[in-house]
């Protein structure tokens, strides 16, 4: 391999690094000063050797406020830097760099190979610099970052399933395996949300960056593998056979518009094609693939009704380990196609099709809506209760996250808000509940109209989506967005403070209910009154730390009041049932 030419030179330099490393430590390195705006990489894959060799160009932009003379480039610790030089107008000049291992859980190996590059001249703020780079190494199944914090090996390998192998190659990029250079501060899985915060910052800085990848492969197989690069079809540009071996090459280009990280998948897939979705499956999984494609086709009209026509095709690709954790990147879903359960397939497809139809770079909109679509799908397939039960499963996830902020500091209220959070529990599960509550408050037609009016290019501030929704209703929703979207005010906690009933002239009963909200977030909550032979449900808006009164008429003696059918996340559900005292004469 050509990279080896620089090897001995690098070796002596590395010897030097050992001495320099301590010098570099004296400076505080700003690892996140530079963003990568373009990647142009030639990737040679050798599946039999689990090996990857990369040469290419990257453009770095100084996103900090001060001139920067040092940049940090990080790749997985199982890869080694071979060469780094200046390119473009600066000429093909080698630059000084030292390499070392940097412990960080952003990579599956739990560490990164870091190149600390010193430029001849500082790069001004907003200035860019182009580098020629080369690195290589192996990418094997490795879950060190998980096993060292006590995750059982089997579970760890089903989570961190990235590897280069003959049957299946899956490289999920930043957050899993740094097969292309990144620049991040340390992420630590044993420190709460640290990994998600580092990854969130990285994705934010990389939004809009462009990656062109040329993939080259030698194969002794007559059927070339399928290459998936995010949701992009890669074009085969070479298929030359030389005896028993063929040389294959593909061109893939991807520009990120949402917060995702480039992901590369390579396997001998069969394909099930439907108008809105392509399902790539491994040998023997035909039945599960058909089931998935059919379920997606059935879910498609509901998704189109809510989120508009598909902007792009959805892609689903099979994972060989039946226990592998599914992974999504935009409208690409990687999941084991092992089951023929059509409900599970429909649920996954509803989520994925929503991504193919609706694009936002704001996670609470992008992911919140895709989960909301799953609840809508269950409601359509079964009933409202099925949707509420599904949301209930999600609720337990973020209720825990909310409990840690019982006495929210004001910076937490801002940091944990749906518009700023990097916590998946919040921008996925809590956001889903917020979308459901909005739908209950403004109605299907109004919410669909608001979603249809959304334009990615016009989404320049966090209040854009709330304003679109507010425009479709007469109701004041500012308090709701304040409690649930712009700030994290925790959850409401409703209880019946008092209830009195009296008989009306028409022999009905008029029940007056006072509901107290002990929580710091307001909501509109369903109130169900049970009477002999039936029940009646009304909705009541109760603001944070406030009370509200509602009158409910029942045809028979009211017996019991139940606040909240489960559609409003609440911190305490034990005080939601109220037995009514016998009626006065
Ligand atoms: Zn999603």
């Amino acid at each position: 391999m050509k990279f080896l030419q620089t090897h001995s030179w690098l070796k002596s330099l590395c010897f030097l690094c050992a001495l320099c490393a301590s010098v570099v430590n004296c400076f505080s390195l700003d690892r996140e000063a530079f963003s990568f705006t373009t990647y142009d990489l030639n990737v040679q894959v050798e599946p039999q050797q689990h090996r990857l060799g990369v040469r290419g160009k990257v453009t770095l932009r100084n996103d900090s406020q001060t001139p920067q003379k040092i940049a940090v480039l990080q790749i997985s610790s199982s890869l080694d830097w071979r060469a780094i030089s200046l390119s473009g107008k600066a000429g093909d000049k080698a630059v000084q760099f030292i390499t070392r291992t940097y412990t960080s859980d952003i990579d599956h190996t739990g560490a990164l190979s870091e190149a600390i590059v010193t430029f001849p001249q500082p790069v001004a703020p907003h200035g860019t610099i182009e580098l020629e780079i080369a690195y290589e190494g192996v990418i094997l199944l490795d879950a060190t970052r998980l096993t060292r914090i006590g995750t059982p090996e089997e579970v760890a390998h089903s989570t961190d399933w990235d590897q280069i192998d003959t049957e299946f190659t899956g490289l999920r990029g930043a957050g899993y395996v740094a097969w292309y250079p990144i620049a991040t501060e340390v992420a630590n899985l044993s420190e709460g949300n640290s990994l998600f915060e580092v990854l969130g910052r990285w994705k934010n800085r990389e939004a809009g960056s462009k990656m062109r990848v040329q993939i080259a492969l030698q194969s002794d197989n007559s059927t070339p593998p399928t290459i998936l690069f995010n949701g992009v079809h890669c074009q085969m540009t070479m298929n030359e056979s030389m005896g028993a071996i063929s040389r294959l090459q593909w061109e893939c280009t991807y520009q990120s518009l949402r917060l995702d990280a480039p992901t590369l998948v390579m396997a001998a897939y069969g394909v099930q094609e439907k108008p809105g979705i392509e399902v790539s499956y491994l040998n023997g999984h035909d039945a599960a693939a058909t089931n998935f494609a059919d379920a997606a086709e059935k879910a498609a009209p509901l998704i189109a009704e809510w989120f508009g026509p598909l902007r792009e095709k959805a892609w689903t690709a099979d994972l060989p380990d039946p226990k592998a954790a599914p992974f999504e990147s935009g409208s690409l879903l990687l999941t084991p196609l092992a089951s023929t359960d059509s409900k599970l397939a429909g649920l996954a497809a509803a989520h994925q099709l929503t991504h193919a139809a609706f694009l936002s770079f704001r996670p609470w909109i992008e992911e919140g809506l895709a989960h909301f679509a799953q609840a809508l799908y269950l409601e359509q397939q079964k009933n409202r209760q099925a949707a509420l039960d599904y949301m209930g499963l999600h609720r337990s996830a973020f209720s825990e996250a909310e409990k840690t902020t019982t006495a929210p500091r004001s910076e937490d209220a801002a940091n944990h808000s749906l518009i700023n959070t990097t916590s998946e529990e919040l921008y996925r599960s809590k956001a889903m509940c917020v979308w459901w509550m909005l739908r209950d408050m403004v109605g299907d037609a109004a919410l669909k109209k608001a979603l249809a009016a959304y334009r990615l290019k016009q989404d320049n501030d966090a209040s854009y989506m709330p304003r679109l929704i507010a425009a479709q209703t007469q109701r004041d929703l500012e308090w709701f967005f304040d409690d649930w979207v712009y700030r994290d005010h925790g959850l409401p906690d409703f209880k019946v403070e008092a209830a009195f009933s009296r008989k009306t002239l028409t022999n009905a009963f008029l029940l007056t209910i006072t509901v107290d909200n002990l929580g710091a977030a307001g909501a509109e909550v369903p109130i169900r009154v049970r009477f002999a032979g039936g029940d009646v449900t009304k909705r009541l808006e109760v603001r944070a730390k406030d009370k509200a009164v509602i009158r409910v008429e029942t045809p028979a003696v009211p017996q019991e009041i139940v606040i909240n059918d489960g559609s409003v996340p609440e911190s305490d559900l034990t005080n939601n049932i109220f037995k009514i005292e016998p009626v006065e004469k």
Side-chain angles (χ1 to χ4, degrees):
M1 199 156 276
K2 279 182 192 150
F3 313 139
L4 294 177
Q5 287 167 0
T6 51
H7 198 187
S8 56
W9 163 73
L10 190 79
K11 239 184 188 167
S12 55
L13 196 71
C14 262
F15 170 71
L16 208 68
C17 330
L19 301 170
C20 298
S22 55
V23 179
V24 170
N25 274 340
C26 300
F27 302 103
S28 66
L29 275 179
D30 183 357
R31 290 189 164 76
E32 300 188 357
F34 285 94
S35 300
F36 290 67
T37 56
T38 58
Y39 291 88
D40 189 349
L41 307 176
N42 295 323
V43 181
Q44 175 87 40
V45 187
E46 295 169 48
Q48 248 117 19
Q49 277 73 48
H50 315 284
R51 181 167 281 276
L52 179 86
V54 180
R55 298 180 75 88
K57 265 186 210 168
V58 288
T59 309
L60 274 62
R61 185 185 60 222
N62 180 1
D63 279 351
S64 76
Q65 305 293 320
T66 50
Q68 299 286 338
K69 209 165 183 274
I70 294 176
V72 176
L73 278 67
Q74 302 161 331
I75 47 176
S76 177
S77 71
S78 66
L79 305 173
D80 292 311
W81 286 104
R82 291 294 177 233
I84 299 176
S85 59
L86 291 176
S87 87
K89 281 186 206 129
D92 206 0
K93 277 190 286 183
V95 286
Q96 278 190 8
F97 72 99
I98 57 168
T99 64
R100 63 169 187 184
T101 304
Y102 181 62
T103 303
S104 176
D105 287 334
I106 201 158
D107 190 80
H108 65 159
T109 61
L112 295 159
S113 291
E114 201 168 66
I116 299 161
V117 184
T118 308
F119 302 127
Q121 304 292 331
V123 180
H126 311 296
T128 58
I129 191 159
E130 203 175 79
L131 297 175
E132 300 265 357
I133 54 168
Y135 56 92
E136 64 176 341
V138 292
I139 298 177
L140 299 160
L141 197 63
D142 189 329
T144 306
R145 65 170 172 178
L146 295 172
T147 49
R148 75 180 171 202
I149 57 164
T151 311
E153 200 148 321
E154 200 191 340
V155 178
H157 282 147
S158 295
T159 308
D160 275 350
W161 41 255
D162 307 73
Q163 60 179 313
I164 296 175
D165 195 43
T166 45
E167 188 201 3
F168 170 82
T169 291
L171 304 174
R172 285 177 284 180
Y176 295 91
V177 45
W179 63 275
Y180 46 83
I182 58 173
T184 55
E185 294 293 345
V186 64
N188 190 337
L189 277 173
S190 54
E191 272 173 28
N193 211 25
S194 150
L195 174 60
F196 292 106
E197 279 165 13
V198 173
L199 197 57
R201 285 204 302 274
W202 169 253
K203 287 179 177 175
N204 261 316
R205 281 156 55 218
E206 289 302 292
S209 75
K210 201 169 175 183
M211 190 181 277
R212 190 195 74 91
V213 184
Q214 189 187 66
I215 297 154
L217 181 72
Q218 286 197 357
S219 162
D220 50 6
N221 195 331
S222 51
T223 349
T226 305
I227 309 271
L228 298 176
F229 186 60
N230 283 41
V232 177
H233 252 299
C234 295
Q235 277 212 314
M236 189 182 265
T237 51
M238 189 203 285
N239 188 353
E240 274 179 15
S241 70
M242 302 185 303
I245 284 175
S246 41
R247 284 173 57 200
L248 307 165
Q249 200 169 290
W250 292 264
E251 280 277 339
C252 320
T253 308
Y254 179 70
Q255 181 154 26
S256 173
L257 289 172
R258 46 169 47 110
L259 298 183
D260 52 11
T263 292
L264 179 68
V265 176
M266 205 159 90
Y269 281 131
V271 175
Q272 269 276 349
E273 222 177 326
K274 296 275 179 186
I277 194 164
E278 245 182 82
V279 181
S280 304
Y281 60 93
L282 293 164
N283 200 8
H285 293 176
D286 320 39
T290 306
N291 172 58
F292 197 95
D294 289 347
E297 202 177 24
K298 281 191 198 121
L302 174 76
I303 302 306
E305 190 189 308
W306 272 92
F307 307 102
L310 300 186
R311 288 173 311 103
E312 56 184 323
K313 220 170 193 181
W315 286 67
T316 299
D318 202 356
L319 295 174
D321 173 1
K323 288 192 187 137
F327 170 77
E328 57 165 353
S329 179
S331 55
L332 170 68
L333 172 70
L334 303 175
T335 187
L337 290 169
S339 137
T340 49
D341 181 329
S342 64
K343 187 186 135 191
L344 286 179
L347 206 53
H351 185 105
Q352 203 191 344
L353 289 169
T354 304
H355 285 320
F358 199 97
L359 177 65
S360 170
F361 57 92
R362 299 187 189 276
W364 79 275
I365 299 176
E366 169 97 355
E367 291 304 337
L369 282 178
H371 287 283
F372 170 58
Q374 295 182 297
L376 291 171
Y377 169 80
L378 286 172
E379 183 189 50
Q380 189 207 43
Q381 292 292 304
K382 225 170 162 196
N383 50 36
R384 179 177 167 94
Q385 193 53 50
L388 297 182
D389 291 346
Y390 177 69
M391 291 198 293
L393 297 174
H394 278 263
R395 205 158 46 233
S396 46
F398 71 84
S399 297
E400 278 310 305
E402 294 281 7
K403 260 179 204 151
T404 55
T405 57
T406 35
R409 293 172 298 162
S410 75
E411 68 260 37
D412 286 344
N415 291 342
H416 299 165
S417 68
L418 286 190
I419 55 170
N420 292 328
T421 185
T422 53
S423 154
E424 292 205 65
E425 288 92 352
L426 298 180
Y427 72 69
R428 289 178 183 275
S429 305
K430 187 178 179 181
M432 166 174 64
C433 295
V434 166
W435 284 109
W436 188 275
M437 286 190 286
L438 280 166
R439 176 223 189 183
D440 275 351
M441 284 192 286
V442 304
D444 288 15
L447 190 55
K448 282 177 193 168
K449 268 192 204 159
L451 294 175
Y454 182 84
R455 299 285 175 274
L456 182 66
K457 287 209 169 107
Q458 287 166 26
D459 188 354
N460 296 319
D461 73 280
S463 67
Y464 172 63
M465 180 60 103
R467 278 186 280 118
L468 289 180
I469 300 167
Q472 297 297 334
T473 173
Q474 304 292 320
R475 287 184 66 161
D476 164 28
L477 292 174
E478 207 47 40
W479 60 273
F480 181 85
F481 291 121
D482 225 42
D483 287 352
W484 293 90
V485 180
Y486 302 138
R487 315 281 294 171
D488 178 11
H489 284 165
L491 301 176
D493 176 15
F494 303 107
K495 78 178 233 279
V496 172
E497 196 188 66
F500 301 102
S501 74
R502 63 177 176 83
K503 216 167 179 174
T504 65
L505 295 172
T506 56
N507 271 340
F509 293 83
L510 189 65
L511 179 66
T512 304
I513 311 166
T514 307
V515 178
D516 196 358
N517 179 359
L518 309 168
E524 183 189 276
V525 68
I527 303 203
R528 183 164 57 153
V529 178
R530 288 207 180 108
F531 52 85
D535 58 50
V536 57
T537 299
K538 294 253 171 148
R539 303 180 60 84
L540 178 66
E541 184 182 302
V542 197
R543 302 280 177 96
K545 305 268 182 210
D546 203 354
K547 288 171 193 165
V549 176
I550 191 169
R551 287 182 182 82
V552 181
E553 202 178 283
T554 55
V557 182
Q559 296 163 333
E560 190 184 70
I561 302 163
V562 182
I563 312 181
N564 200 353
D565 59 356
S567 58
V568 178
E570 230 188 296
S571 58
D572 182 4
L573 284 163
T574 60
N575 53 1
N576 286 35
I577 298 176
F578 185 87
K579 302 276 181 216
I580 300 168
E581 299 294 318
V583 193
E584 307 156 26
K585 283 279 149 125

